[in-house]
């Protein structure tokens, strides 16, 4: 099984800050990696697929990069609606998720 | 529009089984499949398995093998996930999501979630 590790687990930031979340896979997933945003009581929302492709309708302040085992999600200017939990997910071999990064208001 | 609508909340006793449904609409059912993911209270997302609505092929996470069965019903365009021998550790929100028919990719189509509570 491919293990996925995110850091940090919690992040406190101000509106307008640039925010970066890191995801590491236990073996290469090439670019089969996605990022999701989840708010309490809701289903996950796809933000980024295939490591760096922005899902339709997702604001351009979200971007993804990386390949192999190291990936990042960047929010260029944090907005009030962005306070949520973010998960990376590999789909190179079945699915597995990182443990999540909760983005809180500072 | 493309939509997945899940069945309502369930309360089960330890040792019982639960069967959650996921009604699909707005797309050609047999061209896709279903993924099932769960989330325990305050915890992260956990992949349980998937099933193709095209050919019925299914694959389950090792943790759930022998205890979970996923099925589809083309006549009602519905997917099902049955989990047996429930314990309190199975208390969670269960989500269905749409998959491709032949492979697991990222998906933007999710059900609203079904809360399953296991308690005596």
């Amino acid at each position: 099984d491919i293990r996925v590790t995110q850091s940090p687990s919690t992040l406190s930031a101000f509106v307008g800050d640039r925010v970066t979340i890191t995801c590491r896979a236990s073996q290469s997933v090439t670019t089969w990696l996605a990022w999701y945003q989840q708010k309490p009581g809701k289903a996950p929302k796809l933000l980024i697929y295939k490591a760096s492709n922005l899902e339709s309708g997702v604001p351009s302040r979200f971007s993804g990069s990386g390949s192999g085992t190291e990936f990042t999600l960047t929010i260029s200017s944090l907005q009030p609606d962005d306070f949520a939990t973010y998960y990376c997910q590999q789909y190179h071999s079945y699915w597995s998720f990182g443990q999540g990064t909760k983005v809180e208001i500072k | 529009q493309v939509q997945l609508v899940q069945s309502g909340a369930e309360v089960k006793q330890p040792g019982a089984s639960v069967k959650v449904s996921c009604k699909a609409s707005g797309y050609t059912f047999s061209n896709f499949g279903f993924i099932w993911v769960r989330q325990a209270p305050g915890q992260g997302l956990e992949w349980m398995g998937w099933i193709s609505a095209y050919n019925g092929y299914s694959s389950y996470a090792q943790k759930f093998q022998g205890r979970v069965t996923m099925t589809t019903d083309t006549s009602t365009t519905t997917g099902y996930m049955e989990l047996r021998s429930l314990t309190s550790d199975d208390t969670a929100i269960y989500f269905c999501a749409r998959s491709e028919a032949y492979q697991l990719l990222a998906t933007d189509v999710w059900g609203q979630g079904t809360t399953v509570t296991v308690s005596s």
Side-chain angles (χ1 to χ4, degrees):
Chain A
D1 292 2
I2 299 177
R3 296 181 308 280
V4 181
T5 306
Q6 276 179 248
S7 60
S9 54
T10 306
L11 187 159
S12 297
F14 292 105
V15 171
D17 281 353
R18 181 182 180 87
V19 165
T20 299
I21 300 168
T22 298
C23 181
R24 290 185 174 86
S26 60
Q27 64 189 76
S28 176
V29 299
T30 62
T31 54
W32 297 114
L33 188 113
W35 291 94
Y36 293 84
Q37 177 194 69
Q38 189 183 33
K39 296 185 177 179
K42 299 295 186 181
K45 174 187 175 183
L46 179 64
L47 301 175
I48 302 285
Y49 63 95
K50 215 158 184 305
S52 60
N53 292 272
L54 193 67
E55 175 67 8
S56 175
V58 173
S60 59
R61 63 180 179 273
F62 292 93
S63 64
S65 65
S67 65
T69 62
E70 302 256 347
F71 302 87
T72 58
L73 172 71
T74 299
I75 309 172
S76 60
S77 177
L78 200 63
Q79 298 302 301
D81 191 49
D82 301 339
F83 291 95
T85 300
Y86 294 83
Y87 294 93
C88 60
Q89 173 214 52
Q90 68 80 22
Y91 51 103
H92 179 265
S93 175
Y94 300 111
W95 275 18
S96 51
F97 293 91
Q99 77 277 20
T101 295
K102 185 175 183 180
V103 177
E104 299 178 328
I105 301 174
K106 197 168 185 178
Chain B
Q1 74 280 23
V2 174
Q3 199 173 9
L4 299 176
V5 178
Q6 297 184 225
S7 48
E10 302 262 14
V11 179
K12 296 292 183 181
Q13 292 203 329
S17 299
V18 68
K19 192 170 186 177
V20 179
S21 68
C22 179
K23 167 75 174 173
S25 61
Y27 66 90
T28 302
F29 183 76
S30 58
N31 286 354
F32 296 89
F34 292 94
I35 300 159
W36 291 89
V37 170
R38 77 177 187 179
Q39 186 169 39
Q43 302 301 306
L45 301 166
E46 182 176 32
W47 180 72
M48 300 181 69
W50 77 290
I51 182 167
S52 171
Y54 176 75
N55 58 11
Y57 172 82
S58 61
S59 181
Y60 306 137
Q62 190 169 7
K63 175 178 180 177
F64 300 102
Q65 284 182 7
R67 205 161 67 92
V68 70
T69 302
M70 297 175 187
T71 56
T72 62
D73 184 340
T74 301
S75 67
T76 61
T77 66
T78 302
Y80 297 92
M81 186 284 299
E82 181 180 32
L83 189 62
R84 301 177 290 277
S85 302
L86 294 169
T87 71
S88 58
D89 289 342
D90 295 314
T91 294
I93 301 174
Y94 289 76
F95 293 101
C96 63
R98 190 179 73 169
S99 76
E100 303 300 312
Y102 295 105
Q103 57 183 330
L104 283 174
L105 300 177
T107 181
D108 63 342
V109 182
W110 292 73
Q112 82 277 19
T114 296
T115 299
V116 175
T117 303
V118 183
S119 174
S120 55

